[in-house]
Amino acid sequence: MNKALILIILVLQSFNSFSQTYWRVENEYGDEILLTIDLNKEKKTFEAYSRKDALKDLAGVFTYALAKAAGKLKYPEIVFIEGKTREKNDSLLLNGNFNYFDKQFLFTGSISGSHFDGLYKDNRFRQHQLTGEKVFDNKSVRDYTSIINTAFSLTEKHIVNPAWLKSDEWLDFKKKVNELKVKTADDYELAAIFFWLGKKLPFTSYEINRIRPENKPNGRKNSAAVREIKSNIAIFDGNNFPANQKEMDSIALIISKKDYSKLVIDLRGNSRLSPLSVNILTNYLSEKAFNGGVYLTRKWFDSNNTIPKAQDYQKLFKGFSEASYQPGVLFKEQGRSLYIAPTGKTFKGKVYVLADSKTSKAAEAMTYALKQEKIAIIVGQKTAGMTVLTESLRINNEFDLLLPNSDFYTIEGKNLNKVGVEPDISLPADEVMTYIMKL
């Protein structure tokens, strides 16, 4: 009798040493995670994780097993936080590791009553805040089935090339997403589904994102300018490219007065360069007229089964540098050509373009055109292979769908999506500027 009583007491003590609670946690961008937090009071440890086996469901049992065996994945959950606990006043302090897919970051946090605070640092030492409140159950944060259904409907109506939606890759993607949508528990899982499964799609730049408030400045933050890095070398920095011909003329005058013999166009990490800026700047760099390619929209593909021939570009499409071009409404036309027409103030020196794996969209089209026409030497790494231009369509009051609304084709009829542009001189990122400074 005494032995049975002791056994019951031990079981009760073991049960009471564990506690499980559910938390709705938000990052600094407004994305939400549904976390289950397990506390082991006896060992003073904790585990916090998003939906059980979500990553295994997403990758598939076989692929997940291979990735885990290879040491690429540790947990079958998309987010898994673990570590030690200690009490301080009326708070429980958490200290451990934040695991996200195959990445691991240092994590600190606290639980006070029904409030959760957390902080982790990424590989660039940037801090990411997490705040949340306790909830009663692990019910999905929102209706993801409705969100995904609306996203698919918008895709079918607006994506630049409807032929993509007949591909095996799209049909497999849609089938898998439809299987997962009823299980999806939080915003992190939704983003992971589209990112992970979207890698196999025949197109790029396809995402569901939380709508974030934008702090739009009055006018442009930075005007176009060149910076001298040596007495004979000038460089266009970051996103400070000419937005109109007047700005380009001012820069051309400076370059002429300074008598620079080398001009560096830095397109590393550039995904925001407009086709208009590409046209204006390339007009200044080229001594001859040529067509650098064409951007086609849904209006073209709804009426045509093939892409146009290069000799018809000027007849069929206007150029980006024409006064009629309005940014953001290209989808209303069948397309525009990247027609280069020298202005008479052509740069006579040597041109170098710096590119990397994040050089995309119009910047990538520019890289290709300058390389193909032997106007510039491309230095760095292969570009992203994402030449499509995109638009964001409203799903509901909380989410947008990012999808391609125009697609770039070279004059040879090539599509650079998932292909990219190889550099003339391949160098690691940390050696690119050293090479330029030695010119």
Side-chain angles (χ1 to χ4, degrees):
M1 186 71 176
N2 288 337
K3 288 182 180 179
L5 183 60
I6 290 170
L7 181 61
I8 291 170
I9 291 171
L10 288 173
V11 169
L12 288 172
Q13 286 178 339
S14 175
F15 178 79
N16 290 330
S17 68
F18 291 89
S19 67
Q20 186 179 75
T21 50
Y22 307 109
W23 301 78
R24 189 165 166 168
V25 177
E26 185 176 293
N27 67 14
E28 70 266 39
Y29 304 115
D31 302 307
E32 292 188 273
I33 324 170
L34 183 63
L35 287 180
T36 299
I37 299 182
D38 291 340
L39 299 175
N40 188 321
K41 296 177 182 178
E42 188 177 292
K43 293 183 178 180
K44 294 186 177 179
T45 60
F46 78 96
E47 291 181 349
Y49 46 87
S50 54
R51 185 175 73 81
K52 275 287 186 184
D53 292 330
L55 191 50
K56 187 187 291 186
D57 290 342
L58 177 56
V61 175
F62 180 71
T63 302
Y64 172 77
L66 287 178
K68 187 172 183 180
K72 294 180 179 179
L73 295 175
K74 190 175 180 181
Y75 300 103
E77 288 76 45
I78 291 170
V79 173
F80 194 99
I81 314 171
E82 59 181 342
K84 297 286 188 179
T85 65
R86 67 182 178 90
E87 294 182 10
K88 183 178 180 181
N89 300 328
D90 60 346
S91 297
L92 185 68
L93 303 185
L94 313 173
N95 200 319
N97 293 312
F98 183 102
N99 298 277
Y100 181 62
F101 281 88
D102 59 342
K103 299 179 177 65
Q104 187 178 85
F105 312 112
L106 292 177
F107 171 84
T108 57
S110 65
I111 295 174
S112 179
S114 60
H115 188 72
F116 174 95
D117 276 302
L119 175 73
Y120 69 92
K121 294 182 181 179
D122 64 21
N123 294 332
R124 295 184 181 179
F125 302 103
R126 295 173 299 190
Q127 294 187 345
H128 299 273
Q129 298 280 349
L130 299 171
T131 58
E133 300 293 330
K134 186 186 289 187
V135 291
F136 294 108
D137 53 39
N138 60 349
K139 182 181 177 182
S140 295
V141 169
R142 58 189 99 253
D143 184 358
Y144 293 103
T145 295
S146 175
I147 291 169
I148 289 170
N149 288 345
T150 302
F152 283 159
S153 177
L154 289 170
T155 301
E156 290 164 2
K157 185 177 180 181
H158 295 284
I159 199 163
V160 52
N161 192 341
W164 292 340
L165 305 183
K166 298 176 183 178
S167 67
D168 291 340
E169 293 87 354
W170 169 260
L171 296 175
D172 289 344
F173 171 84
K174 189 174 181 181
K175 179 182 176 183
K176 184 64 175 176
V177 172
N178 279 332
E179 290 171 359
L180 292 171
K181 67 186 180 185
V182 293
K183 299 179 180 180
T184 303
D186 56 37
D187 299 343
Y188 272 48
E189 187 175 350
L190 177 68
I193 288 171
F194 272 70
F195 174 77
W196 188 294
L197 298 178
K199 289 180 178 181
K200 295 181 180 179
L201 287 173
F203 51 91
T204 56
S205 303
Y206 186 61
E207 305 167 11
I208 292 180
N209 297 313
R210 281 297 299 268
I211 297 171
R212 295 177 180 133
E214 295 181 7
N215 299 317
K216 295 183 179 178
N218 295 322
R220 296 175 72 215
K221 187 176 181 181
N222 299 309
S223 58
V226 290
R227 176 170 61 90
E228 184 177 296
I229 56 175
K230 286 181 78 173
S231 60
N232 63 331
I233 305 176
I235 186 170
F236 276 96
D237 274 331
N239 292 308
N240 298 346
F241 291 92
N244 51 57
Q245 192 58 50
K246 184 179 179 181
E247 285 188 0
M248 186 67 255
D249 290 342
S250 297
I251 292 170
L253 185 60
I254 293 169
I255 291 172
S256 177
K257 284 183 177 179
K258 293 280 187 176
D259 198 25
Y260 294 121
S261 62
K262 297 177 180 67
L263 187 60
V264 179
I265 315 295
D266 191 353
L267 297 180
R268 292 174 298 174
N270 197 309
S271 63
R272 296 185 178 182
L273 188 60
S274 74
L276 174 58
S277 291
V278 167
N279 219 147
I280 291 171
L281 185 53
T282 309
N283 286 347
Y284 171 66
L285 300 177
S286 179
E287 293 183 341
K288 64 174 184 177
F290 70 94
N291 208 303
V294 64
Y295 273 98
L296 302 176
T297 70
R298 177 66 177 259
K299 277 187 174 294
W300 171 267
F301 287 106
D302 277 342
S303 305
N304 301 273
N305 295 322
T306 59
I307 61 171
K309 295 179 180 179
Q311 59 264 32
D312 296 328
Y313 285 180
Q314 281 182 269
K315 181 174 66 177
L316 294 170
F317 310 107
K318 295 178 180 178
F320 284 102
S321 57
E322 293 185 34
S324 61
Y325 174 66
Q326 295 294 321
V329 293
L330 178 59
F331 65 92
K332 293 183 178 180
E333 306 175 42
Q334 287 196 332
R336 289 248 172 178
S337 71
L338 195 61
Y339 182 72
I340 307 305
T343 59
K345 299 176 182 179
T346 307
F347 178 67
K348 303 298 183 182
K350 224 167 187 181
V351 181
Y352 296 83
V353 169
L354 309 185
D356 64 10
S357 62
K358 294 183 179 178
T359 302
S360 61
K361 299 183 180 177
E364 192 167 13
M366 180 181 187
T367 303
Y368 179 85
L370 293 179
K371 179 182 178 180
Q372 190 71 8
E373 294 295 324
K374 295 181 170 39
I375 294 170
I377 296 170
I378 315 302
V379 181
Q381 299 95 50
K382 183 179 178 180
T383 59
M386 295 172 61
T387 49
V388 294
L389 301 182
T390 60
E391 66 177 315
S392 290
L393 300 175
R394 183 65 59 92
I395 293 175
N396 57 26
N397 291 332
E398 296 174 304
F399 288 90
D400 272 346
L401 174 69
L402 180 73
L403 84 168
N405 72 346
S406 54
D407 199 12
F408 178 74
Y409 289 85
T410 71
I411 56 168
E412 302 85 11
K414 291 197 299 186
N415 186 285
L416 300 179
N417 280 313
K418 299 201 169 185
V419 177
V421 181
E422 293 283 356
D424 296 303
I425 299 172
S426 181
L427 290 173
D430 58 353
E431 294 181 20
V432 169
M433 286 310 297
T434 303
Y435 172 84
I436 292 298
M437 294 302 288
K438 287 181 179 178
L439 291 174

